[in-house]
């Protein structure tokens, strides 16, 4: 996990490699610590994610719930074909916004 940008309520995090049972607990802990009580707009860059398991999808849900509890929203960017397929099959594609760039996620509606 790499924090790309943190500015006020905005947080951009790049997730890397595999998000599975071996990595998900650490990523979840670090991600929730970064979100804290102030982040209301989270963008997860998935461009370097090669594998997403059910344990990894749980991390996405937990992060989303934390941001929503702060009164905010979460979006994905950099979603490649294999990760998009996992998101489609799981129904996550309907639960989260996919944007071209973090700037698109932070733009006013």
């Amino acid at each position: 996990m790499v924090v790309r940008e943190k500015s006020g309520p905005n947080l951009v995090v790049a997730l890397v490699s595999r998000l599975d049972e071996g990595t998900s607990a650490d990523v979840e802990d670090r991600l929730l610590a970064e979100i804290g009580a102030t982040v209301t707009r989270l963008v997860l860059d998935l461009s370097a994610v090669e594998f997403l398991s059910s344990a990894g999808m749980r991390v996405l849900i937990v992060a989303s719930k934390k941001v929503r509890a702060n009164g905010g929203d979460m979006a994905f960017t950099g979603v490649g074909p294999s990760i998009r397929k996992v998101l489609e099959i799981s129904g996550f594609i309907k639960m989260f916004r996919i944007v071209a760039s973090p700037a698109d996620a932070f733009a006013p509606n």
Side-chain angles (χ1 to χ4, degrees):
M1 183 182 105
V2 177
V3 175
R4 292 255 171 104
E5 174 188 340
K6 188 169 186 179
S7 176
N10 300 336
L11 175 63
V12 180
V13 173
L15 300 177
V16 296
S17 191
R18 299 174 63 86
L19 193 52
D20 58 20
E21 56 280 346
T23 61
S24 61
D26 180 55
V27 171
E28 181 178 327
D29 290 345
R30 293 173 58 200
L31 190 53
L32 292 178
E34 287 293 337
I35 294 168
T38 59
V39 170
T40 57
R41 293 192 285 185
L42 172 63
V43 177
L44 296 179
D45 181 348
L46 305 179
S47 59
V49 174
E50 300 165 358
F51 180 77
L52 180 63
S53 75
S54 59
M57 290 189 286
R58 180 188 175 284
V59 172
L60 303 179
I61 290 172
V62 169
S64 175
K65 285 183 177 182
K66 177 71 172 167
V67 172
R68 288 181 179 155
N70 290 350
D73 190 25
M74 183 174 90
F76 301 139
T77 191
V79 179
S82 62
I83 299 302
R84 178 178 286 276
K85 182 93 169 161
V86 171
L87 296 174
E88 288 172 352
I89 291 169
S90 66
F92 276 42
I93 203 90
K94 297 175 186 174
M95 297 168 52
F96 301 105
R97 290 185 305 135
I98 296 178
V99 295
S101 73
D104 293 334
F106 298 146
N109 292 338

